[in-house]
Amino acid sequence: MREFLLFRLYGPMAAWGNIAVGEDRPSFAHPSKAAVIGLLAAALGITRNDAERQRSLAMCCYFAVRVDAAGSLLSDYHTIQSPASKPRVIYHTRRAELAADKIHTILSARDYRCEAAYTVALEIRQGGAYTARQLADALARPVFTLYLGRKCCPPAMPLKPRVVIAPSLEDALAGERIGDIALPELFSRPHTLLYWEEGMRTDLIREQVIARRDEPLSRCRWQFTERYECYCSLAKEDAACTSQ
């Protein structure tokens, strides 16, 4: 038997960072592991410069996500003012940045996922630094503000974290119903996609394996390494997920 932490993510807008080059800031169609680990770190009160605790958190679990509602893509032409970088100068607030001597304007194209909903499943590794109960309690009473990839994308519904003891990923998700009485129009598609990290306990037949560079290495230096993610398509009835 394995210990799983399940919770849901929904917001009018979300951004799941992909590899960014130049002015383009794309978003993947479903949450990255780095984004979910960052959300958990915020809930626990772990700062970005606490490298040891960040790494322990990333190593304590395997990651899976079910796309309950894919949502739609929104591209935004974004402008932001930023101070020129100076050696040994740190701006602790936005007000301090705008008070700097030199201000540059940065242009970028940023992607968002609109009206998308997900169920996240974390399989806790044996001997990990955190238990599923510790993580669930932190998500219920977070230390820092939680957001869906970017600060402008707060969750719009409770995360409803819960701990499940099950032999496999599909058994852990069997009781997690797709759909919410407040948002029935989002969950009309007959199929859902399930993504899971290699190493998770499951008997699901993978349709494809993709490499994603979203395993956190250093939050301070913004460095990530590759991991492998499997996925399959499931009819909602097969996933034991019917609308509420």
Side-chain angles (χ1 to χ4, degrees):
M1 302 295 279
R2 294 290 188 269
E3 188 179 45
F4 291 86
L5 170 65
L6 306 181
F7 57 94
R8 68 182 183 184
L9 298 176
Y10 164 75
M13 292 172 55
W16 313 117
N18 204 345
I19 296 175
V21 178
E23 297 176 355
D24 292 327
R25 298 291 184 267
S27 170
F28 219 74
H30 63 276
S32 63
K33 184 176 182 180
V36 170
I37 294 300
L39 183 137
L40 291 169
L44 290 163
I46 303 175
T47 59
R48 286 181 177 175
N49 58 4
D50 192 339
E52 184 176 346
R53 292 181 69 195
Q54 287 276 359
R55 187 62 181 161
S56 296
L57 177 59
M59 293 297 295
C60 83
C61 59
Y62 292 110
F63 167 71
V65 59
R66 189 181 68 196
V67 181
D68 297 338
S72 58
L73 179 66
L74 170 69
S75 294
D76 175 44
Y77 183 71
H78 192 87
T79 63
I80 186 172
Q81 290 183 310
S82 178
S85 59
K86 295 181 179 180
R88 298 184 296 278
V89 175
I90 299 176
Y91 301 97
H92 295 284
T93 65
R94 182 62 178 156
R95 183 176 181 179
E97 286 184 340
L98 295 177
D101 296 334
K102 277 191 175 183
I103 299 291
H104 299 303
T105 299
I106 300 174
L107 307 178
S108 62
R110 302 191 179 196
D111 289 348
Y112 297 87
R113 301 301 302 187
C114 297
E115 298 293 343
Y118 312 92
T119 297
V120 175
L122 302 180
E123 179 185 332
I124 307 303
R125 298 186 186 186
Q126 294 182 353
Y130 298 91
T131 66
R133 175 50 55 194
Q134 287 175 315
L135 298 178
D137 290 344
L139 289 175
R141 292 177 293 276
V143 176
F144 300 138
T145 302
L146 306 182
Y147 52 89
L148 307 181
R150 292 190 182 124
K151 291 181 180 179
C152 60
C153 304
M157 296 182 70
L159 274 62
K160 295 179 65 175
R162 72 185 187 97
V163 178
V164 175
I165 305 299
S168 65
L169 171 62
E170 55 269 33
D171 291 311
L173 286 170
E176 288 297 301
R177 300 161 67 87
I178 289 180
D180 192 285
I181 194 169
L183 300 163
E185 67 278 5
L186 294 183
F187 308 99
S188 58
R189 293 188 179 182
H191 290 80
T192 182
L193 294 177
L194 178 61
Y195 298 83
W196 68 94
E197 189 172 9
E198 277 200 334
M200 294 191 80
R201 179 69 64 87
T202 179
D203 292 323
L204 292 168
I205 298 175
R206 65 185 70 177
E207 296 178 15
Q208 191 174 353
V209 180
I210 57 177
R212 293 193 67 182
R213 188 170 289 274
D214 65 351
E215 180 78 43
L217 284 179
S218 171
R219 291 283 179 180
C220 291
R221 296 189 298 272
W222 216 247
Q223 293 177 333
F224 307 90
T225 189
E226 270 191 357
R227 67 181 181 91
Y228 291 95
E229 188 174 72
C230 315
Y231 81 87
C232 67
S233 175
L234 299 172
K236 290 184 178 179
E237 294 80 4
D238 296 339
C241 315
T242 55
S243 248
Q244 293 181 6

